């Protein structure tokens, strides 16, 4: 595995309107030599954009955001891989600092709620929900993060793949930091600003996924 380069893992479900912009930004970064787009199905209209940009892609075997990330990391060739959303909300400039911090950390998490950070994509409901979930996770799961629901994360590929994830959906955002903390992997967080998604609609259902995340937090508490 190459220690100087990083892989980018992009879970993608019908993000054809924003994916071209996302790939265009990422391809300008020198230390990125692998971009893996994980598509929901062969019928996903984003596939044309992936082929146009000559990126590696896989069709996920199991449905769900979490499954897409897990399957993507299994194909990554570099020592570190970064989860990167296809909706253009993640800003690539933070990858440089994350790449630098990977010399002393196994996982580098982004946060929209610390220091010089923020979000144009948050609603009042998601802001309050995230604050509550992050507070619970810090105090009951010993997860030292201020933004547990933000999945802009640079991960040690080998250590990520050592985690036996049970979730196939957005609950991975709890499972990942909980396992990182439980296994005593080295981790830190850096302030980030989140852009508003470029086009399309959110794939997160605030009420349904919020309930599932709460259930995952409770499950994790009893499986500490």
């Amino acid at each position: 595995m190459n220690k100087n380069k990083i892989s980018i893992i992009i879970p993608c479900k019908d993000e054809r309107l924003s994916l071209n912009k996302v790939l265009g930004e990422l391809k300008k970064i020198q230390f990125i030599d692998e971009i893996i787009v994980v598509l929901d199905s062969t019928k996903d209209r984003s596939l044309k954009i992936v082929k146009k940009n000559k990126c590696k892609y896989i069709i996920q075997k199991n449905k769900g955001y979490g499954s897409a990330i897990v399957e993507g990391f299994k194909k990554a060739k570099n020592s570190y891989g970064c989860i990167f959303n296809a909706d253009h909300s993640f800003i690539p400039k933070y990858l440089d600092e994350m790449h630098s911090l990977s010399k002393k950390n196994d996982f580098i998490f982004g946060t929209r709620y610390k220091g010089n950070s923020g979000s144009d994509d948050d609603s009042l409901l998601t802001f309050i929900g995230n604050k509550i979930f992050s507070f619970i996770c810090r105090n009951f799961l010993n997860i030292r993060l201020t933004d547990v629901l933000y999945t802009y994360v640079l991960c040690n590929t080998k250590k990520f793949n050592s985690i036996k994830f049970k979730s196939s959906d957005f609950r991975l955002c709890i499972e990942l930091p909980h396992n990182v903390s439980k296994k005593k992997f080295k981790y830190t967080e850096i302030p980030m600003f989140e852009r508003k998604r470029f086009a399309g609609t959110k794939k997160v259902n605030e009420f349904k996924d919020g309930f599932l995340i709460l259930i995952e937090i409770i499950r994790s508490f009893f499986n500490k």
Side-chain angles (χ1 to χ4, degrees):
M1 286 188 169
N2 194 325
K3 295 182 179 180
N4 298 316
K5 303 287 186 178
I6 70 170
S7 302
I8 298 291
I9 314 300
I10 304 179
C12 181
K13 184 177 181 180
D14 195 20
E15 296 286 2
R16 69 192 189 284
L17 297 176
S18 57
L19 185 60
N20 194 56
K21 290 177 71 68
V22 170
L23 295 177
E25 290 180 343
L26 291 171
K27 286 162 73 175
K28 295 175 183 177
I29 301 174
Q30 291 185 345
F31 55 81
I32 294 173
D33 72 343
E34 180 180 54
I35 298 174
I36 303 172
V37 181
V38 187
L39 294 166
D40 180 64
S41 73
T42 54
K43 296 180 180 179
D44 195 311
R45 289 175 289 182
S46 308
L47 181 56
K48 290 183 179 179
I49 306 298
V50 177
K51 289 181 175 179
K52 173 188 170 185
N53 283 274
K54 299 179 181 178
C55 292
K56 182 188 293 187
Y57 72 91
I58 61 173
I59 307 300
Q60 63 186 99
K61 296 177 182 178
N62 300 304
K63 297 294 183 183
Y65 179 78
S67 292
I69 292 169
V70 170
E71 292 177 29
F73 266 93
K74 287 179 180 177
K75 298 294 184 181
K77 69 178 184 179
N78 292 314
S79 296
Y80 279 80
C82 188
I83 304 167
F84 205 92
N85 285 352
D87 62 5
H88 198 249
S89 62
F90 289 4
I91 300 176
K93 70 176 184 179
Y94 300 113
L95 287 166
D96 190 56
E97 184 179 359
M98 296 170 89
H99 186 225
S100 178
L101 287 169
S102 68
K103 295 174 184 176
K104 294 183 179 180
N105 293 276
D106 301 313
F107 294 82
I108 299 92
F109 293 83
T111 174
R112 299 161 292 179
Y113 307 126
K114 182 180 179 181
N116 187 23
S117 63
S119 173
D120 276 342
D121 203 50
D122 244 353
S123 66
L124 180 61
L125 182 61
T126 57
F127 174 80
I128 294 172
N130 202 346
K131 284 285 190 178
I132 292 171
F133 289 146
S134 296
F135 176 83
I136 294 172
C137 287
R138 283 195 304 276
N139 288 277
F140 292 95
L141 298 181
N142 196 33
I143 298 173
R144 301 186 313 276
L145 297 175
T146 58
D147 192 357
V148 293
L149 302 189
Y150 199 41
T151 52
Y152 195 164
V153 190
L154 183 66
C155 312
N156 179 297
T157 304
K158 185 176 181 180
K159 291 182 178 179
F160 180 96
N161 287 332
S162 73
I163 299 171
K164 295 180 180 179
F165 291 100
K166 295 182 174 70
S167 304
S168 61
D169 49 32
F170 289 102
R171 284 174 287 183
L172 180 128
C173 67
I174 300 299
E175 257 203 287
L176 175 57
H178 182 228
N179 275 279
V180 167
S181 176
K182 190 166 65 171
K183 291 177 178 289
K184 300 189 184 305
F185 294 147
K186 293 181 180 179
Y187 69 100
T188 189
E189 65 177 359
I190 63 170
M192 296 180 176
F193 189 85
E194 179 187 32
R195 297 181 290 205
K196 196 168 185 65
R197 69 158 35 245
F198 177 72
T201 56
K202 278 189 176 183
K203 305 301 185 291
V204 179
N205 183 303
E206 294 173 352
F207 291 100
K208 176 188 172 184
D209 291 308
F211 177 74
L212 291 174
I213 286 167
L214 178 59
I215 295 299
E216 179 59 31
I217 292 173
I218 295 170
R219 187 195 69 78
S220 297
F221 176 75
F222 287 106
N223 287 278
K224 289 193 291 185

